[in-house]
Amino acid sequence: MVGAMTVEAGVVSDALKRYFGFDAFRPLQEAIVGDVLAGRDVFALLPTGGGKSLCYQLPALLTPGITVVISPLIALMKDQVDALTTAGIAATYLNSSLEYDEVRERIDGLRRGAYRLLYVAPERLAMPSFAAELATLNVTRFAVDEAHCISEWGHDFRPDYRRISDLRERFAGVPFLAFTATATDRVRADIVERLALRNPALHVGSFNRPNLTYRVTRQKRSPEALIAWLEARPDDAGIVYVGSRAAADDLASRLKKAGIAALPYHAGLDADKRSKHQERFIRDKVRVICATVAFGMGIDKSNVRFVVHYDLPKSVEGYYQETGRAGRDGVPAECLLFFNHGDVAKFERFIQEKESEAERAVAREQLDRMTRYAYSNDCRRRDLLAYFGEAFTELNCGGCDNCLEPRPAVDATEAAQKLLSCIERIRRSSGFGVGIAHVIDVLLGAETDKIWRWNHERLTTYGIGKDRSKPSWRALADELVRLGYVAVDAMHFNTVSVTETGRQALTDRTPIVVRESPPTTERGRKRAPSAVADGPYNAEVFRALRDLRKEIADERDVPAYVVFSDAVLRAMARELPRSPAQLLKISGVGEKKLADFGARFLSAIAESA
Ligand code: ADP
Ligand code: ZN
């Protein structure tokens, strides 16, 4: 078998520290590296941020020959190669952005053995001359990144990925490695089959992302609410997902007006503008990107500190993938979802517009699952992992709103009776349904045109709810919808009606227990505590180091994370190393980076600490 060799464990962990600066492997990395070094085919399913790239980069350093990495993310290849070069690892890439001479030069370099890793875009594989050229090089193994792109069942099918099987035939003895973060059983089987993996070593990691905190807010969505939330974390960068292009543009300009550096990103912008905006975000020039789901695939920015869903995502799977872009560096990061019951109604209307009944059924099931997630009073993490068939057995995850601030269960029988009977009375007296806002107006004894027009001030329920505020009636109404006492008709202006269960509860005076919303507003809430230990650090030093990092990144024309990740800067600002030896002890500081940047970081620490 080509590439099979024994490498001592000590050599592997030495290289882990020397090149990558890490002291320990992330879960499964060591086992995967072992199988790669043993020359086996490998299939590895690790979540985003799980550290997949190291699984083929490290072996590439320990075996002779070239590791060919197939990656769909052409825009990122340069950054990936820059990151390796910065760490002292010889790597190069070939894609359509290069001139002919440049390509020749790189291939000559590969032939001379000047590089350990070669990144190629899948469209290269369609060129017959390219495979022939590869055959003249000393290729040790192929690593297929984002391997789900080979499957039509995946969410990101790339027809050119199918060409990989031609390589498999041509390079019969060369091991193939497949890496992905997304794989349902069907996609997984498809990858193994399409790549014709031979007796592959299978590694499936946990999908739990312990450093992410999940929250759902029932606060009404508004640019102001979002701005307040962003202002509470002025140093953090992140993504705000919205449901439409117009909303992305609009929200970005609202944020800009409020003094928050933000840009839109969506399929309606021309390619040039899109990549410029993405670039500015990756290079830490803007702090917020307002995006549709088109954004994110291959965002290799490890210090995304939050992902906000301003609009309801279509499915739990999509939600998990999008939130997964936060916190790849392992440092705590936040995921916030704005959710109001009206969102569901809006989605139901979209669903009605779909062509086939089959499509409608799928969309409805996904919406239903998403709604249950948003309404749930149980651990969000457990819920998300259950979706992927993974059990989470801890009682309190310490990293979601329901675990951190459980909403107390309160007996709301009396108020619920008022609300239900008010809905019933309105229907009976007027013969038509109304929206929940009007029902609440009646309960509060408001003086509105509609009330006068329809004579609703004469109802016996008029003004009987003055003991509660409008938002608390809204929250109660949401709970009654969740519990199935009230139905909302999305096709008829979101009019509400009492369900059969609700009517039964009215006559029987069934006790109704609801969950009260937590008393704090988003504005008042500070950063969430996290399940991941991330001790206190000197914030002033951190800021100074971040500025220095940006300076160095700009000098080299690379993204900031290529220099050091946020996790590394925080560790420096915590440990405050005084000497090169102490600096080298920090996870993420390898020998090459120590040599290149060590002195500058040490003096910045000495000056600001
Ligand atoms: P994936 O491709 O699985 O999403 P990456 O390979 O991009 O993940 O790695 C995510 C982040 O984790 C990167 O910043 C990387 O440097 C870091 N990382 C990888 N392995 C380790 C490790 N063993 N210890 C600490 N950080 C690691
Ligand atoms: Zn939880």
Side-chain angles (χ1 to χ4, degrees), residues 2 56 59-60 63-69 90-92 106-119 133-134 136-143 174-175:
V2 179
Y56 55 82
T63 35
I66 299 163
T67 295
V68 177
V69 184
T92 190
R106 291 185 182 199
I107 290 179
D108 286 346
L110 287 159
R111 197 160 286 129
R112 272 186 281 115
Y115 303 107
R116 313 312 296 267
L117 290 124
L118 165 66
Y119 282 74
E133 196 109 56
L134 268 188
T136 69
L137 301 173
N138 180 15
V139 175
T140 307
R141 63 183 75 87
F142 288 93
V174 179

Side-chain angles (χ1 to χ4, degrees), residues 72-94:
L73 312 170
I74 301 178
L76 281 183
M77 264 176 203
K78 184 176 177 305
D79 288 350
Q80 285 171 328
V81 166
D82 282 343
L84 289 167
T85 313
T86 309
I89 299 166
T92 190
Y93 66 90
L94 292 175

Side-chain angles (χ1 to χ4, degrees), residues 24 35 483 508-509 561 578 599:
D35 283 328
L483 296 168
D508 299 352
R509 290 197 68 83
Y561 69 83
R578 299 271 164 207

Side-chain angles (χ1 to χ4, degrees), residues 378-382 392 395-404:
D378 297 328
C379 176
R380 309 264 181 218
R381 193 174 305 277
R382 186 175 315 128
F392 182 77
L395 283 180
N396 187 318
C397 82
C400 79
D401 49 0
N402 289 331
C403 287
L404 292 166

Side-chain angles (χ1 to χ4, degrees), residues 86-232:
T86 309
I89 299 166
T92 190
Y93 66 90
L94 292 175
N95 66 26
S96 50
S97 72
L98 302 172
E99 303 286 335
Y100 179 79
D101 286 351
E102 181 66 36
V103 172
R104 293 302 340 149
E105 210 167 289
R106 291 185 182 199
I107 290 179
D108 286 346
L110 287 159
R111 197 160 286 129
R112 272 186 281 115
Y115 303 107
R116 313 312 296 267
L117 290 124
L118 165 66
Y119 282 74
V120 293
E123 93 258 355
R124 283 270 128 180
L125 308 177
M127 304 177 185
S129 61
F130 179 69
E133 196 109 56
L134 268 188
T136 69
L137 301 173
N138 180 15
V139 175
T140 307
R141 63 183 75 87
F142 288 93
V144 183
D145 209 358
E146 314 284 351
H148 57 273
C149 291
I150 204 169
S151 172
E152 272 164 306
W153 306 114
H155 52 76
D156 204 28
F157 175 54
R158 304 285 171 106
D160 279 338
Y161 258 57
R162 291 283 164 87
R163 307 267 178 176
I164 301 174
S165 42
D166 301 345
L167 286 182
R168 177 98 251 197
E169 277 168 32
R170 185 156 199 151
F171 295 84
V174 179
F176 272 65
L177 323 172
F179 296 91
T180 178
T182 17
T184 54
D185 285 347
R186 192 182 207 177
V187 175
R188 202 185 306 183
D190 216 19
I191 294 172
V192 172
E193 192 189 314
R194 299 249 167 217
L195 288 176
L197 296 182
R198 284 174 308 219
N199 183 27
L202 295 173
H203 295 276
V204 178
S206 164
F207 272 62
N208 184 22
R209 299 285 310 278
N211 60 319
L212 301 191
T213 302
Y214 302 96
R215 286 176 189 284
V216 178
T217 177
R218 300 271 191 92
Q219 194 187 11
K220 208 168 154 42
R221 80 166 53 68
S222 68
E224 293 72 33
L226 178 65
I227 289 165
W229 192 85
L230 293 171
E231 281 173 346

Side-chain angles (χ1 to χ4, degrees), residues 253-474:
S253 75
R254 295 289 293 263
L255 296 185
K256 240 180 282 175
K257 275 194 204 112
I260 296 169
L263 282 174
Y265 185 102
H266 54 75
L269 299 173
D270 63 56
D272 193 43
K273 207 161 198 177
R274 237 175 19 228
S275 70
K276 212 172 275 165
H277 290 188
Q278 169 163 332
E279 180 84 359
R280 290 185 62 76
F281 180 63
I282 291 176
R283 306 260 165 133
D284 294 348
K285 311 254 189 224
V286 295
R287 146 163 127 84
V288 178
I289 198 118
C290 298
T292 58
V293 287
F295 183 79
M297 161 83 182
I299 276 303
D300 204 1
K301 180 179 164 73
S302 70
N303 63 336
V304 173
R305 292 271 70 82
F306 59 80
V307 169
V308 174
H309 281 79
Y310 192 72
D311 290 318
L312 191 67
K314 277 196 198 60
S315 69
V316 172
E317 169 152 29
Y319 182 66
Y320 176 84
Q321 293 302 340
E322 284 140 32
T323 53
R325 289 168 190 140
R328 291 172 65 162
D329 51 13
V331 173
E334 299 173 274
C335 310
L336 177 70
L337 167 66
F338 278 88
F339 177 73
N340 301 117
H341 193 80
D343 305 347
V344 182
K346 198 165 108 192
F347 248 99
E348 269 161 10
R349 282 194 297 273
F350 287 142
I351 292 174
Q352 288 301 327
E353 285 160 17
K354 286 196 184 289
E355 300 260 305
S356 72
E357 183 46 43
E359 272 179 283
R360 284 195 290 273
V362 170
R364 222 174 270 129
E365 192 185 313
Q366 289 181 332
L367 173 64
D368 184 54
R369 191 68 194 72
M370 193 64 226
T371 313
R372 266 187 285 146
Y373 172 83
Y375 269 137
S376 171
N377 293 309
D378 297 328
C379 176
R380 309 264 181 218
R381 193 174 305 277
R382 186 175 315 128
D383 210 13
L384 284 175
L385 291 175
Y387 185 83
F388 294 99
E390 187 176 332
F392 182 77
T393 49
E394 280 168 52
L395 283 180
N396 187 318
C397 82
C400 79
D401 49 0
N402 289 331
C403 287
L404 292 166
E405 304 113 24
R407 287 180 287 164
V410 292
D411 183 334
T413 311
E414 203 189 311
Q417 288 271 336
K418 288 180 185 172
L419 193 97
L420 294 173
S421 63
C422 191
I423 296 173
E424 282 282 86
R425 297 265 147 97
I426 291 173
R427 254 192 203 271
R428 245 183 270 140
S429 81
S430 300
F432 54 78
V434 298
I436 196 67
H438 181 73
V439 177
I440 294 172
D441 280 345
V442 172
L443 284 168
L444 292 172
E447 309 193 357
T448 68
D449 288 347
K450 278 185 189 169
I451 287 180
W452 303 136
R453 192 173 340 132
W454 295 330
N455 294 328
H456 285 169
E457 80 284 2
R458 295 193 198 149
L459 296 172
T460 51
T461 51
Y462 183 73
I464 59 167
K466 289 183 178 162
D467 53 330
R468 290 174 79 102
S469 68
K470 202 179 230 178
S472 99
W473 278 116
R474 265 202 175 273

Side-chain angles (χ1 to χ4, degrees), residues 235-237 284 301-305 327-333 534 537 542 545-546 549 560-574 586-587:
D235 288 337
D236 294 349
D284 294 348
K301 180 179 164 73
S302 70
N303 63 336
V304 173
R305 292 271 70 82
R328 291 172 65 162
D329 51 13
V331 173
D534 177 58
Y537 57 88
F542 177 77
L545 298 182
R546 207 179 43 185
R549 172 176 72 179
Y561 69 83
V562 164
V563 178
F564 282 127
S565 74
D566 274 17
V568 178
L569 298 193
R570 285 191 191 211
M572 287 184 192
R574 184 166 41 236
I586 285 177
S587 174

